[in-house]
Amino acid sequence: MAFPAPHNLTNGAGATPVPAELAELLRAQLTAVADQVEAEVRRQVPEYAQPPDGPYGRNLRAGVVQALTLFVDHIADPRDDGESIAATYNALGRAVAQEGRNLDVLQSALRVGGMHAWRIMGRTAETLGLDSTVVAALGELAFRTVHEVAEAAAAGFAEEQLRSSDELERRRRQLLDLLLGEGPVVPEAVRKLAHGARWTVPRQVAVVALAGAPDRREEDRPPASSGALVDMESRPPRMLVPVPDGSGRWAGHGFELALRGRPAAIGPTVPLAEAAQSLRWATRALGLMGRGVLPRQDVVRCADHLSTLLLYADEPLLGRLRAGALAPLDSASAGQRARLAETLLAWLLSGSNVPDVAARLHIHPQTVRYRLRQLEKLFGDALHDPDTRLELILALRAESMNTPQD
């Protein structure tokens, strides 16, 4: 909760001066006023009703005394900026952030304490017979004091949150580098880093490789799903996401929505120690997406394309396989080669069933038989050899993927 700045400060131009001698009178009452303010805060703010040695209670007394001292110092010398006391509240705000507590509780205590202190001190001013304009100026000064300490606490809280966020991000990046690095993953090292990164160690994970340059605008970057470790500066950007269920099945529909249409490849689900392998296959799949071998858009799951990934695991070797197995087609024209290759693959996959081939390719069975006679002339008895048929299926699958997909 932020406090608005007061409109008229007592040391501003045209402000009604507060008698400086009032400072000494109020300073003499400071301990008694602090007792009453502390009691009122404990009464109205439930968190401060806890034992004095608790996270809220242990700094309450010092905070009350510091704020009251700043108020009185402002009366004694309106030019006093209260730098040391502001630093105290800045540190108090940082401590609240470090302990993971809510700043609203501290702000509520300041509001309650400030109002109660003003009521007590205002009555003292009235008993002295001070002019009403002076009493009003005193109220403005009290308002200014509460504003200053609240702003100092809020600044300290924000600074610590930013520092903690940066440090947490650094530790998570370090953990991600360990899990996705080339060296062995030592469980004890993972547990130590995970503790410092506030990350729950899962049994299984999947690594996501994202398309796009690392320097995309911040608002274009997908938010991390729950428990994810993210490195958007790597090439390609990557995310390690826990897979919660024991089945190993990816349940990332919400994550896919969070990608906002950004193409990505999800690596296979693996044990945590094998996360680097999931990254390797996700990166390979992303590369095949860019070439049109795998669908270019949306999210590709490696688990749905294992045969393609296996086929393209060693592309020079795949090229040799294609060249050797499909050499008999080299004598055909480009158009004829494409039709014969399509027919041969359909025939091999359908168990040599002509009607099934015709239905698959949407052509007449007689056309299938005509093409098969041509293939028999080119390949001969090799079409009926089991090993040759396997090589032909692999080579023809690669041939069919060689044309970029939309």
Side-chain angles (χ1 to χ4, degrees):
M1 177 183 298
F3 285 78
H7 297 292
N8 299 300
L9 300 181
T10 55
N11 60 348
T16 302
V18 178
E21 56 270 21
L22 181 60
E24 295 310 311
L25 177 60
L26 294 177
R27 200 183 302 277
Q29 300 178 1
L30 195 144
T31 299
V33 173
D35 289 340
Q36 296 181 58
V37 171
E38 182 180 358
E40 185 66 12
V41 170
R42 291 188 187 281
R43 187 181 71 82
Q44 290 201 42
V45 185
E47 288 81 1
Y48 284 92
Q50 300 172 3
D53 59 348
Y56 290 96
R58 58 173 169 261
N59 294 317
L60 176 57
R61 179 68 180 191
V64 169
V65 171
Q66 290 276 11
L68 291 175
T69 300
L70 177 61
F71 174 61
V72 173
D73 288 346
H74 277 329
I75 297 174
D77 183 1
R79 297 167 298 177
D80 182 17
D81 59 8
E83 183 177 346
S84 62
I85 294 176
T88 298
Y89 269 86
N90 186 277
L92 184 57
R94 290 199 303 270
V96 170
Q98 289 169 357
E99 295 173 2
R101 295 189 279 119
N102 195 323
L103 184 64
D104 288 347
V105 175
L106 175 59
Q107 301 283 43
S108 295
L110 290 174
R111 185 176 64 255
V112 169
M115 291 297 296
H116 194 65
W118 161 237
R119 283 195 292 268
I120 298 171
M121 292 184 168
R123 287 197 295 268
T124 299
E126 289 175 354
T127 60
L128 296 175
L130 296 177
D131 185 85
S132 61
T133 57
V134 175
V135 175
L138 195 63
E140 279 292 329
L141 189 56
F143 189 24
R144 169 191 169 187
T145 303
V146 172
H147 173 76
E148 287 179 359
V149 296
E151 288 295 297
F157 183 86
E159 291 164 7
E160 181 59 30
Q161 278 200 319
L162 180 60
R163 190 200 67 79
S164 298
S165 177
D166 290 344
E167 176 63 17
L168 188 63
E169 180 64 24
R170 187 192 68 79
R171 292 180 181 181
R172 292 194 169 191
R173 181 76 63 83
Q174 186 179 5
L175 175 59
L176 186 62
D177 289 342
L178 172 65
L179 292 171
L180 300 182
E182 297 181 358
V185 176
V186 180
E188 183 57 34
V190 172
R191 283 194 293 270
K192 183 177 180 180
L193 280 176
H195 177 75
R198 301 178 192 172
W199 190 68
T200 302
V201 179
R203 294 179 59 188
Q204 293 186 311
V205 296
V207 178
V208 182
L210 299 113
D215 59 351
R216 286 182 58 159
R217 293 179 306 166
E218 186 67 28
E219 57 267 28
D220 290 337
R221 300 184 178 195
S225 60
S226 178
L229 298 176
V230 184
D231 182 2
M232 298 302 296
E233 307 306 319
S234 64
R235 296 178 181 271
R238 59 198 186 180
M239 303 174 68
L240 184 147
V241 185
V243 179
D245 64 353
S247 67
R249 292 181 59 83
W250 174 267
H253 179 66
F255 166 77
E256 292 180 26
L257 292 176
L259 290 175
R260 304 179 185 132
R262 184 174 184 165
I266 301 175
T269 296
V270 296
L272 180 63
E274 300 173 13
Q277 294 186 29
S278 184
L279 171 64
R280 179 162 60 91
W281 289 114
T283 303
R284 181 174 294 276
L286 194 65
L288 293 176
M289 290 169 66
R291 293 163 51 188
V293 175
L294 293 176
R296 292 179 185 270
Q297 298 176 343
D298 301 324
V299 177
V300 166
R301 305 165 188 266
C302 288
D304 298 335
H305 300 277
L306 293 180
S307 61
T308 301
L309 291 169
L310 177 61
L311 200 58
Y312 279 82
D314 189 332
E315 295 199 46
L317 188 60
L318 177 60
R320 288 181 175 274
L321 174 65
R322 287 176 58 189
L326 303 181
L329 294 176
D330 291 344
S331 60
S333 65
Q336 186 184 31
R337 177 191 175 96
R339 291 189 294 271
L340 291 177
E342 179 185 52
T343 302
L344 180 54
L345 180 58
W347 181 71
L348 292 169
L349 295 177
S350 63
S352 307
N353 187 297
V354 172
D356 285 352
V357 175
R360 182 189 292 251
L361 301 181
H362 306 289
I363 59 178
H364 196 279
Q366 276 301 106
T367 304
V368 175
R369 293 188 181 94
Y370 171 73
R371 294 179 184 176
L372 287 175
R373 285 194 294 271
Q374 291 180 294
L375 290 167
E376 288 279 0
K377 291 179 182 179
L378 293 173
F379 287 91
D381 293 339
L383 288 180
H384 305 286
D385 176 68
D387 291 337
T388 301
R389 289 166 70 99
L390 176 59
E391 290 184 357
L392 283 171
I393 290 174
L394 295 175
L396 290 165
R397 278 287 306 277
E399 183 97 347
S400 66
M401 295 175 193
N402 200 42
T403 302
Q405 302 175 21
D406 295 331

